[in-house]
Amino acid sequence: MNPVVVAVAITGSVPRKKDNPAVPITAAEQIESTHQAYEAGASLVHIHVRNGDESPSSDAERFAAVQAGVVRHCPGMIVQFSTGGRGRDPAQRGSSLYLKPDMASLSTGSVNFPTIVYENHTFFVRDLAAKMRDNGIRPEIEVFDLLHLHGALRLVEAGLLDDHPHVQFVMGVENALPADEHLLDLLLGELRRILPKATWTAAGIGRYQAPVMEWALQREANAVRTGLEDNIRVTKERLARNNAELVEIAGDMIARQGRRVATCDEARKILDLSGRRAV
Ligand code: MG
């Protein structure tokens, strides 16, 4: 049975705590929520930090606190920092990479989001990619449009990315790519044509979380993504209790597809992180 990495995006950049109080915000809440998700089978955590009123610390201090807590309480779990964030100052977005997380998200082009243009200028993308390479951080390429795959290929050609990056297709963001099975086939076909050694996953936003996960598993995805960043509900009527509940739901779907949830060791092998520090 081909193991599947379960990635959990615990928080996100949109203030959703008022919609679901289970969304973890403080570093302590984020560490606790990640630990619950880890116990439920998640082997990768995708982290955004927020500077709320409750804390004067910088983004880097908050990332450092969450990273340290996850390393301590969730041995082997892959730590991935977000370098995204809607409306965030571009200079801030790569400012925590010196902490050398295992992975960091990397968008390779711009896209319309619900209320803003998510700007990723070519020079900025190259600068972030170089920072990741120089810090030994494995990028996760965020694909919000077909052209972002070609943005990744250009980074490979420039020596800023290896030839087997990990790629995430993001579907169902308002004004960006719809969650559509045919579109996933189209994206996947292009990925296999131009970056045949890449590993991949797909994220469905909101009510598309489950269907996108199912389509990805049916197409032998290396990983799936869940978590309260993308979706705060279990059903239309009921909010998710926590990130762990969403991880359990992902685990059930993985089993139904005849696969199993990867351990942290397996996840590190699948995503080519085995050579990184032992935690
Ligand atoms: Mg994110």
Side-chain angles (χ1 to χ4, degrees), residues 46 48 82 225 229:
H46 172 82
H48 289 249
S82 172
R225 162 147 149 169
E229 169 171 348

Side-chain angles (χ1 to χ4, degrees), residues 9 12-13 46-48 80 82-85 105 142 168 225 229-230:
S13 57
H46 172 82
I47 303 165
H48 289 249
Q80 182 186 91
S82 172
T83 64
S105 58
E142 306 302 329
Q168 174 160 263
R225 162 147 149 169
E229 169 171 348
D230 299 348

Side-chain angles (χ1 to χ4, degrees), residues 47-75:
I47 303 165
H48 289 249
V49 294
R50 307 241 200 95
N51 273 321
D53 295 339
E54 77 283 358
S55 168
S57 60
S58 68
D59 273 15
E61 288 170 308
R62 299 191 127 225
F63 270 120
V66 181
Q67 180 184 31
V70 173
V71 168
R72 188 176 322 118
H73 297 291
C74 311

Side-chain angles (χ1 to χ4, degrees), residues 40-239:
S43 51
L44 187 161
V45 58
H46 172 82
I47 303 165
H48 289 249
V49 294
R50 307 241 200 95
N51 273 321
D53 295 339
E54 77 283 358
S55 168
S57 60
S58 68
D59 273 15
E61 288 170 308
R62 299 191 127 225
F63 270 120
V66 181
Q67 180 184 31
V70 173
V71 168
R72 188 176 322 118
H73 297 291
C74 311
M77 193 175 205
I78 297 166
V79 174
Q80 182 186 91
F81 289 178
S82 172
T83 64
R86 297 156 203 229
R88 218 168 141 203
D89 171 8
Q92 276 291 314
R93 290 175 46 189
S95 65
S96 303
L97 295 177
Y98 75 92
L99 294 166
K100 301 186 186 337
D102 299 297
M103 300 183 79
S105 58
L106 178 63
S107 294
T108 55
S110 302
V111 61
N112 285 328
F113 269 1
T115 58
I116 62 157
V117 177
Y118 180 38
E119 274 192 80
N120 291 290
H121 192 289
T122 305
F123 298 152
F124 176 70
V125 172
R126 292 174 70 105
D127 181 57
L128 269 184
K131 275 200 178 89
M132 291 183 199
R133 181 196 58 188
D134 296 347
N135 282 291
I137 298 165
R138 203 154 165 64
E140 176 180 274
I141 304 298
E142 306 302 329
V143 172
F144 294 91
D145 198 351
L146 184 66
L147 68 92
H148 298 168
L149 278 177
H150 286 268
L153 179 61
R154 284 191 290 274
L155 294 177
V156 173
E157 289 166 349
L160 289 164
L161 201 61
D162 65 36
D163 66 350
H164 55 290
H166 184 55
V167 170
Q168 174 160 263
F169 301 115
V170 187
M171 311 191 99
V173 176
E174 190 186 337
N175 302 328
L177 275 178
D180 179 301
E181 197 169 6
H182 172 74
L183 281 180
L184 180 60
D185 281 329
L186 197 151
L187 291 162
L188 194 52
E190 189 65 356
L191 176 68
R192 286 173 173 153
R193 188 176 76 88
I194 67 171
L195 291 167
K197 296 179 183 169
T199 53
W200 70 279
T201 183
I205 305 305
R207 64 196 159 99
Y208 302 111
Q209 188 165 65
V212 169
M213 190 181 296
E214 190 164 28
W215 303 335
L217 287 167
Q218 287 165 353
R219 287 160 179 77
E220 299 289 312
N222 303 96
V224 294
R225 162 147 149 169
T226 190
L228 293 167
E229 169 171 348
D230 299 348
N231 167 41
I232 58 171
R233 297 181 177 280
V234 170
T235 63
K236 200 175 168 197
E237 293 77 27
R238 186 167 83 71
L239 295 174

